[in-house]
Amino acid sequence: MAGEQKGKAKAEQVKGKVKETVGRAVGNERLEAEGRAEQSKGDARQAKEKTKDVFKH
């Protein structure tokens, strides 16, 4: 289960980075902001999973 959540976190981070980059390239501020938000969501999920790992060991 933890591996699945870590994978989701990484996917959100990558998807967000792509959206941000594309938004910046085409001058779409909304898309760029969505990308940053998605990256933050992935970062939060990853931090949660890392915290869980600390308490497992």
Side-chain angles (χ1 to χ4, degrees):
M1 182 64 121
E4 180 182 322
Q5 292 300 315
K6 288 178 184 177
K8 283 183 182 180
K10 193 55 142 172
E12 285 175 334
Q13 290 169 327
V14 170
K15 186 176 172 187
K17 185 65 176 172
V18 169
K19 276 186 177 180
E20 181 183 7
T21 302
V22 170
R24 187 176 297 129
V26 298
N28 186 330
E29 290 179 15
R30 189 180 126 252
L31 186 61
E32 191 175 343
E34 281 179 18
R36 281 194 303 270
E38 203 158 334
Q39 284 181 70
S40 294
K41 186 177 173 184
D43 291 343
R45 185 185 304 265
Q46 187 175 44
K48 182 179 101 177
E49 291 304 315
K50 284 183 179 181
T51 301
K52 283 183 186 178
D53 287 346
V54 167
F55 288 107
K56 282 183 183 178
H57 299 287

